[in-house]
Amino acid sequence: MKGIDVAKAMHRYVCREVRYVAVWLDAGSSWVPHRSDEVLRRGYGDCKDQYVLLAALLRAKGIRSNAVLVDWDRSWRELGVPSPSQFDHCMAYLPDFDVYSNPVNPFANLGSLEQALSGKFVVHATELGTTGRTPEGTAAANSYRVEHDVALAADGSFSGTTKMTVEGRPSARLRAILAGDATGEGLADDLLARTPEGGFGRIECSDPMDLSTPLACKGVWRSEHAVAMDSEAWFTTPAGTDFLSPQKGREFLSHASRNFPTVVGAVSVAWRHTIRIPAGRSARLPKGRSAQNAIGRFTSRYSAAPDGSIVVERDLRIERDVVPAAQYPMLRAIFEAMDEDARAPLVLTNRAN
């Protein structure tokens, strides 16, 4: 193991083994870190302590690093003149690989910065001192893929599996959520309770604390009496145990005038639903929705598979972390199309009709 792989291993070690603790007894202690050997021995420290330990481990392997000062909040406005009081967080920059490390987050890999740390003005605490900006998030680096396999029974119940693979920020957020649910049942039931069909289930996933392994999750669920199976049966595409179902876009919908940017986060999301329907029924499918502009796009497609199953494919792509107030109508158009699609009914009729 060498190069960037060593840096990743050191980052993961500090994330895993050093617990974030901050106790400041005087003004100076908020700026002066403890010695790396002391941080290692105690197993805890604040952001600058964790940086010092990471820098020592990297230096032992011949990898350069320097401290980076940043303001960890939801403001992206740059002050005219930097001052010490502007910054509240310390992380690492590895110039050999042009990558940042935030070792206080045990759920984010090397180079994966939280949204509130992306596109931010920073000061590199080198001998001469330099300023810069952290990389902005991109849709390509932050992805969420979902595959639903659902069976609708003659009694109107759904049973299904939901498989999710994630990378980048969605992975870090999901790891943090999963680490707090020992059985996966409470989390699954909470997700299903927010859907029109309801239900109960469980979620199984790879170890959320193991940053060396891509995060993969599988939900197994069942919704009793989800659809009234009359001569015409109407229902919307079931969401199952989906952490980023299309209904989440409603959080960004507003018709009030905006004076400030919208923090949304660059992301690429793809959903695929295969819905098996009871024998003797045929499906009337909605038309897909589409919206595309400079901010991103949403598209959906409905089709019937050769075996009679319904296939629903949806794609969402947001290209920017922060959308200026003047461009909010474009963002709203994307999420309005997604919301309309989430409410689009699928209709089953008796084949004789």
Side-chain angles (χ1 to χ4, degrees):
M1 186 168 60
K2 58 184 179 179
I4 190 67
D5 292 329
V6 173
K8 288 179 179 178
M10 297 298 99
H11 167 89
R12 292 165 183 164
Y13 176 83
V14 175
C15 286
R16 183 180 65 249
E17 300 297 333
V18 182
R19 183 162 48 95
Y20 181 86
V21 174
V23 179
W24 302 327
L25 301 180
D26 57 66
S29 65
S30 65
W31 287 97
V32 180
H34 294 87
R35 290 169 51 92
S36 58
D37 57 344
E38 185 179 350
V39 178
L40 181 62
R41 184 178 68 255
R42 292 179 173 178
Y44 64 83
D46 64 9
C47 58
K48 61 186 181 294
D49 294 328
Q50 288 173 280
Y51 162 74
V52 166
L53 176 57
L54 176 61
L57 295 174
L58 292 171
R59 186 167 55 250
K61 294 295 185 178
I63 299 174
R64 297 181 300 153
S65 67
N66 54 260
V68 174
L69 304 179
V70 63
D71 194 15
W72 195 349
D73 65 5
R74 289 168 63 89
S75 171
W76 280 262
R77 175 173 291 183
E78 187 173 327
L79 297 183
V81 178
S83 70
S85 60
Q86 176 183 348
F87 306 106
D88 63 4
H89 186 54
C90 175
M91 55 185 185
Y93 175 68
L94 283 57
D96 297 331
F97 310 114
D98 189 23
V99 68
Y100 288 84
S101 164
N102 184 29
V104 305
N105 186 347
F107 306 108
N109 248 317
L110 179 71
S112 180
L113 295 180
E114 295 86 337
Q115 189 167 307
L117 292 174
S118 301
K120 283 297 193 68
F121 173 78
V122 295
V123 169
H124 290 248
T126 59
E127 183 177 350
L128 297 177
T130 59
T131 62
R133 297 195 82 88
T134 56
E136 294 185 4
T138 65
N142 301 297
S143 65
Y144 179 84
R145 303 285 180 265
V146 190
E147 290 193 13
H148 298 273
D149 188 337
V150 185
L152 174 60
D155 64 359
S157 62
F158 280 127
S159 57
T161 60
T162 303
K163 295 181 180 179
M164 296 152 281
T165 55
V166 288
E167 294 181 359
R169 284 190 206 134
S171 174
R173 293 170 185 165
L174 194 49
R175 287 177 188 273
I177 294 171
L178 292 165
D181 189 322
T183 66
E185 293 184 359
L187 186 55
D189 292 350
D190 184 54
L191 290 171
L192 288 161
R194 304 173 192 176
T195 67
E197 61 271 11
F200 303 93
R202 69 180 188 279
I203 294 175
E204 302 169 350
C205 66
S206 55
D207 183 358
M209 303 302 297
D210 183 2
L211 297 182
S212 65
T213 302
L215 184 65
C217 299
K218 177 182 178 181
V220 180
W221 53 277
R222 182 174 176 81
S223 300
E224 301 285 352
H225 313 296
V227 180
M229 299 298 282
D230 300 324
S231 58
E232 281 196 344
W234 295 58
F235 60 95
T236 56
T237 304
T241 53
D242 185 356
F243 289 91
L244 285 180
S245 64
Q247 289 87 347
K248 292 284 288 181
R250 294 172 187 167
E251 298 175 5
F252 297 95
L253 289 179
S254 171
H255 284 275
S257 13
R258 296 194 66 88
N259 298 313
F260 300 98
T262 302
V263 181
V264 57
V267 71
S268 171
V269 187
W271 298 269
R272 180 182 173 89
H273 303 253
T274 301
I275 307 170
R276 288 170 278 125
I277 61 177
R281 293 274 188 162
S282 58
R284 188 164 70 242
L285 305 179
K287 67 176 183 178
R289 263 70 172 180
S290 178
Q292 184 169 350
N293 52 50
I295 301 302
R297 69 173 186 267
F298 173 79
T299 58
S300 65
R301 298 166 294 279
Y302 295 79
S303 60
D307 64 357
S309 299
I310 300 169
V311 177
V312 183
E313 297 170 288
R314 293 166 167 157
D315 291 282
L316 170 69
R317 190 176 180 92
I318 302 296
E319 301 290 353
R320 305 187 59 175
D321 281 339
V322 182
V323 176
Q327 295 182 331
Y328 174 73
M330 289 191 287
L331 179 68
R332 184 176 62 205
I334 293 170
F335 284 122
E336 282 178 340
M338 189 166 72
D339 184 55
E340 289 173 3
D341 190 67
R343 293 183 284 110
L346 291 79
V347 183
L348 299 187
T349 60
N350 293 322
R351 201 159 281 166
N353 294 342

